[in-house]
Amino acid sequence: MNTDDKNKKMTLKKKKIAVLTSGWSIDYVRAVLKGIESVTKDENVDLYVFVCYKFIDQKNTENFTSYNIVSIIDYKEFDAIVFLSNIIEDQALLKEEAKKIKKLGIPAVSLLAPLDGFDYIDNDDAPGFRNLLQHMKDVHNCTDFAFIGGPENAKESQIRYETFMEFIKENNLKIKEDRLFLNGDYRPAFAENAAVKMLKNKAKIPDVIVCVNDYSALSVITYASHHKINVPEDLKVIGFDNISYARKSDPSISTCDPQHFEIGKTAGLKILSKLNNKSKKITFPSKMILGQSCGCDICSDDQKDSFIEYYYSNDEAENFNSQMRHMEDLFLTNTDSHNLINELGAFFEKRHYFEGSDFAMMLQKDYVKSFLNSSTPYEPVSTIKDNVISVVHIVNNQKIKPCLFDAKEIVPPYFEDEHNSVFYIYPLVAVDALIGYAISKNSDKLLEGKRGYQWIRNLCNHFENFKQKCSYKILSEKYLELSTKDALSGALNRLGYNTFAAKTFDSNKKKNLSSIIIFIDINSMKQINDKFGHLQGDFAIKIVAESVRNVMPKGWLSVRYGGDEFVIIGQGDKTEGQKFCDDFAANLKENSETLKLPYQVTASTGFKCFSPKTKYSLDEAVSIVDEIMYKNKKAFHKTRGD
């Protein structure tokens, strides 16, 4: 960082709050962040939101690598920490980080799950849920209840189920066993499967299906509408969580608000020391939110533009898919890693709707080195400790030059300004390696629809596949080099002749360039072998090959055509052909005399220049030059009296 950047950073003096969360529970995360921002908007505060994703890897094991993004956090640089503890999947890491923070004495708040030594803000699902259930009985005369639950190891799922069963018992209602669907997994498929079983006989459908969350309620309503069961006329449905889709759906869903906004707001007040409450724990009761799915005629404000929202949502989904396809094309069509890095910056300069107007992609320095040079080894690591390189750096919609800086600074200096900002930090994970992270400033669009996870996995898979492609290319080139090179002389062998020489000859024709072909044959090779042995014969071949290399112009090819024969192919005219033959003869004589061999190494040459309009193939041209060389060889031996 230069002096101006340091001075700029010093003058800002803003408070910094870190938020550690999973990226799966989007409505919850957004509500908490809005709550925090509602009390920090008049303060000089930046939020750093670390969005992590646990996933199941190819070995069918849980992968927590993204949570190691905490390795870049220097807690001494932060004024407070907020943990969304109930959705942080790596509980072991959470406890370790809590110990570090407690030791440093930095204020921290844990949300919806207790964390030893810190303030704890919780909610109570029961009050609002109980009121909603009672509303269904007292106002809508429901007596035949069904329940679709969630995971048995999830606290909120169990509380909602227990509240439901207590309500059934207190109101002297009976619940049939086939009306209970427990131990779900929150996925729409589980709720839809339950709906299939309960709604297949329209004469025996329940009065109301109580769903553990709004996503389950949406699945039931969708299935019912597809099978001509009207909600709420034929079937009533209620949910929980008050997600945005619940308010926008038709019918809108009667649900419960867990008060995540208020929880975030209270967390913000606590860490800003504006809450005069000495209690270590604060609990918010859930609130009943009535919609249309229970039978009430209540239209939410969000529902007024439901068609526009639906169209907008579909359009955004298609735009995101398009973004992913174009990103894949970028990696597939590139073969050079340096060019790919340059094009990545240009790509995101044009396409950063989901990433935001200020966006950066940071990769570990060693990973970038390995990526740019596949022969450079890279040892995968699960933490980030040193420098990172901003291989993509977009500021105010404009690409700027990549830079190297300390990962502990987290965000590039150009991202900081006098306004309050929210930095969303997404770990970049390739299998078990943390290769870097991405930053979106003041844009949470990657959070929508769990896009962040798909974006991360696609990008990192592309990087890894590209690295493999480059490695395969290098291995292929090395194999081709080894298989086309003559081991004794270092010149191309006959396979190399067939692979490269013909291409050079044809390429010269296409470029309207003349081709020079030279044929070399070592003189008296049989006598050298017979008198001094084949090892000396091999040595003579090496000397000739070295002299060829010493005088051969760049771009020409040398081929060991036979035992003691060489063919040289290049671009040029008659003058250059003669010059090569003269230079070669002089260099060979010098080499032979310098080595003080017991025999003299000489070679006969012949050459011819072929115009780009020649009708001859390479093999035909070589045969012609071979005849020229043979005449010269006969003349050479005649002068010696051989």
Side-chain angles (χ1 to χ4, degrees):
M1 186 187 299
N2 60 39
T3 304
D4 290 340
D5 290 331
K6 287 183 178 179
N7 290 337
K8 177 183 175 183
K9 196 166 186 177
M10 290 173 64
T11 57
L12 293 175
K13 289 291 182 181
K14 286 198 285 187
K15 290 183 179 179
K16 296 166 64 175
I17 298 174
V19 180
L20 183 62
T21 179
S22 166
W24 295 117
S25 303
I26 307 307
D27 283 275
Y28 167 44
V29 174
R30 274 182 161 166
V32 168
L33 291 177
K34 286 179 180 178
I36 295 173
E37 288 181 88
S38 71
V39 296
T40 59
K41 62 183 179 181
D42 296 325
E43 304 285 337
N44 204 18
V45 174
D46 282 343
L47 295 182
Y48 291 71
V49 185
F50 297 87
V51 184
C52 304
Y53 296 91
K54 180 201 81 172
F55 62 92
I56 306 300
D57 63 20
Q58 72 274 18
K59 300 174 185 176
N60 202 33
T61 57
E62 294 180 325
N63 190 311
F64 297 103
T65 304
S66 73
Y67 279 95
N68 292 332
I69 191 64
V70 297
S71 60
I72 69 173
I73 304 176
D74 183 355
Y75 289 111
K76 296 190 294 295
E77 296 294 318
F78 285 86
D79 298 278
I81 316 294
V82 178
F83 292 110
L84 276 64
S85 302
N86 66 312
I87 60 171
I88 292 175
E89 294 107 333
D90 193 342
Q91 288 291 304
L93 178 138
L94 174 63
K95 292 176 182 178
E96 285 300 314
E97 297 307 299
K99 288 179 183 177
K100 296 177 188 175
I101 295 164
K102 187 176 180 181
K103 188 175 181 180
L104 292 169
I106 298 169
V109 180
S110 177
L111 305 187
L112 302 190
L115 195 57
D116 186 40
F118 296 109
D119 286 338
Y120 167 35
I121 305 173
D122 200 2
N123 66 349
D124 184 355
D125 287 347
F129 199 35
R130 186 182 297 275
N131 290 340
L132 183 55
L133 293 168
Q134 201 68 48
H135 171 81
M136 299 308 299
K137 176 179 179 296
D138 296 344
V139 177
H140 299 293
N141 302 314
C142 294
T143 56
D144 186 2
F145 283 75
F147 183 82
I148 299 176
E152 62 179 342
N153 60 347
K155 184 186 83 169
E156 68 276 6
S157 172
Q158 284 306 299
I159 289 174
R160 294 167 198 179
Y161 170 64
E162 289 167 5
T163 302
F164 172 78
M165 294 306 293
E166 288 171 4
F167 162 78
I168 294 294
K169 183 177 180 180
E170 290 168 3
N171 286 272
N172 296 315
L173 299 173
K174 292 183 179 180
I175 183 81
K176 299 175 183 177
E177 189 173 328
D178 61 359
R179 294 291 203 235
L180 289 175
F181 293 85
L182 307 179
N183 304 327
D185 53 13
Y186 288 149
R187 289 188 297 180
F190 180 81
E192 183 178 338
N193 184 55
V196 170
K197 294 177 180 178
M198 284 189 283
L199 304 180
K200 61 183 177 182
N201 187 343
K202 293 184 180 180
K204 295 183 179 181
I205 63 176
D207 296 335
V208 56
I209 296 180
V210 180
C211 298
V212 72
N213 62 13
D214 292 336
Y215 286 109
S216 297
L218 286 167
S219 296
V220 172
I221 292 172
T222 301
Y223 177 83
S225 66
H226 288 167
H227 291 79
K228 298 181 180 180
I229 298 172
N230 297 319
V231 176
E233 292 84 357
D234 303 327
L235 169 71
K236 294 170 175 52
V237 180
I238 62 175
F240 202 107
D241 286 335
N242 193 29
I243 65 173
S244 58
Y245 291 123
R247 300 189 297 272
K248 295 172 185 175
S249 69
D250 184 15
S252 60
I253 295 176
S254 296
T255 183
C256 290
D257 185 356
Q259 299 217 67
H260 293 150
F261 176 86
E262 291 299 326
I263 289 170
K265 181 178 178 180
T266 304
L269 290 170
K270 265 191 168 293
I271 57 185
L272 291 175
S273 302
K274 291 189 175 184
L275 191 66
N276 295 319
N277 189 328
K278 295 182 179 180
S279 172
K280 296 283 287 184
K281 179 181 178 181
I282 300 174
T283 302
F284 285 88
S286 62
K287 290 184 177 180
M288 176 176 66
I289 304 292
L290 296 178
Q292 296 163 334
S293 68
C294 71
C296 291
D297 187 17
I298 298 174
C299 179
S300 72
D301 292 336
D302 292 339
Q303 203 177 14
K304 294 175 183 177
D305 296 322
S306 60
F307 175 77
I308 295 175
E309 287 285 344
Y310 174 79
Y311 179 82
Y312 178 74
S313 176
N314 281 352
D315 186 56
E316 284 220 322
E318 178 53 39
N319 286 339
F320 182 74
N321 290 335
S322 175
Q323 173 90 330
M324 294 298 98
R325 288 193 297 269
H326 281 89
M327 187 191 296
E328 181 180 19
D329 290 343
L330 181 66
F331 282 87
L332 286 174
T333 56
N334 260 288
T335 56
D336 179 81
S337 53
H338 289 82
N339 186 60
L340 175 63
I341 292 295
N342 290 332
E343 289 196 16
L344 265 177
F347 174 85
F348 282 108
E349 185 177 27
K350 292 179 181 178
R351 293 172 166 269
H352 54 261
Y353 176 74
F354 298 97
E355 295 79 9
S357 60
D358 293 80
F359 165 72
M361 186 191 302
M362 316 296 185
L363 294 181
Q364 298 223 47
K365 182 178 67 174
D366 289 343
Y367 185 82
V368 174
K369 285 182 179 179
S370 172
F371 184 78
L372 294 177
N373 184 359
S374 296
S375 61
T376 301
Y378 173 70
E379 185 68 31
V381 293
S382 59
T383 59
I384 299 176
K385 295 181 180 179
D386 301 315
N387 293 333
V388 289
I389 298 175
S390 57
V391 293
V392 174
H393 203 157
I394 308 296
V395 177
N396 293 326
N397 300 309
Q398 299 294 317
K399 179 181 72 171
I400 68 172
K401 187 177 180 180
C403 62
L404 174 72
F405 68 100
D406 188 348
K408 296 294 183 183
E409 295 181 28
I410 301 178
V411 302
Y414 297 110
F415 274 17
E416 298 182 337
D417 55 40
E418 68 275 14
H419 305 292
N420 284 9
S421 298
V422 181
F423 300 105
Y424 295 89
I425 295 103
Y426 299 90
L428 300 180
V429 177
V431 191
D432 295 325
L434 187 62
I435 65 174
Y437 59 96
I439 304 170
S440 288
K441 176 183 176 183
N442 297 330
S443 174
D444 65 354
K445 284 191 173 294
L446 282 179
L447 286 178
E448 292 178 3
K450 303 178 178 65
R451 291 188 188 117
Y453 174 74
Q454 185 180 349
W455 189 94
I456 290 168
R457 294 304 303 273
N458 283 352
L459 177 69
C460 294
N461 285 342
H462 291 330
F463 270 117
E464 288 300 288
N465 289 336
F466 188 87
K467 280 185 67 179
Q468 286 187 7
K469 181 172 72 173
C470 290
S471 296
Y472 292 150
K473 181 183 176 184
I474 289 173
L475 287 174
S476 178
E477 288 172 349
K478 286 184 176 179
Y479 172 76
L480 185 61
E481 180 183 355
L482 290 171
S483 63
T484 57
K485 184 177 286 189
D486 176 57
L488 180 63
S489 66
L492 294 174
N493 56 23
R494 286 304 291 264
L495 176 60
Y497 170 85
N498 294 330
T499 305
F500 299 114
K503 288 182 180 178
T504 299
F505 191 69
D506 291 339
S507 177
N508 287 343
K509 286 183 181 181
K510 291 178 182 178
K511 295 176 182 177
N512 201 33
L513 299 172
S514 296
S515 294
I516 289 287
I517 296 180
I518 301 161
F519 206 106
I520 300 174
D521 191 336
I522 301 175
N523 295 321
S524 306
M525 191 65 187
K526 186 176 185 305
Q527 289 88 329
I528 295 174
N529 282 325
D530 291 345
K531 188 173 182 180
F532 301 99
H534 286 282
L535 287 178
Q536 287 296 326
D538 288 348
F539 191 62
I541 291 171
K542 289 182 179 180
I543 294 171
V544 171
E546 182 181 354
S547 292
V548 169
R549 286 194 297 271
N550 289 342
V551 301
M552 188 171 65
K554 186 177 180 181
W556 288 25
L557 297 179
S558 168
V559 181
R560 187 181 177 193
Y561 195 69
D564 56 354
E565 299 171 332
F566 290 84
V567 170
I568 315 300
I569 301 166
Q571 179 270 316
D573 55 23
K574 185 177 180 181
T575 303
E576 289 169 293
Q578 186 61 58
K579 183 178 185 303
F580 173 88
C581 291
D582 294 342
D583 290 346
F584 166 70
N587 190 269
L588 182 59
K589 181 180 180 183
E590 181 183 348
N591 277 348
S592 184
E593 291 174 351
T594 301
L595 293 169
K596 297 180 179 180
L597 298 172
Y599 51 87
Q600 186 178 16
V601 181
T602 62
S604 297
T605 60
F607 76 91
K608 183 175 176 61
C609 179
F610 293 86
S611 77
K613 296 181 180 179
T614 183
K615 62 181 180 180
Y616 296 118
S617 67
L618 177 61
D619 287 342
E620 291 170 333
V622 169
S623 294
I624 291 170
V625 179
D626 185 16
E627 287 295 325
I628 296 171
M629 181 280 302
Y630 184 69
K631 290 179 182 178
N632 294 337
K633 190 178 187 70
K634 283 178 68 175
F636 170 80
H637 285 293
K638 187 176 181 181
T639 58
R640 291 179 44 149
D642 294 344

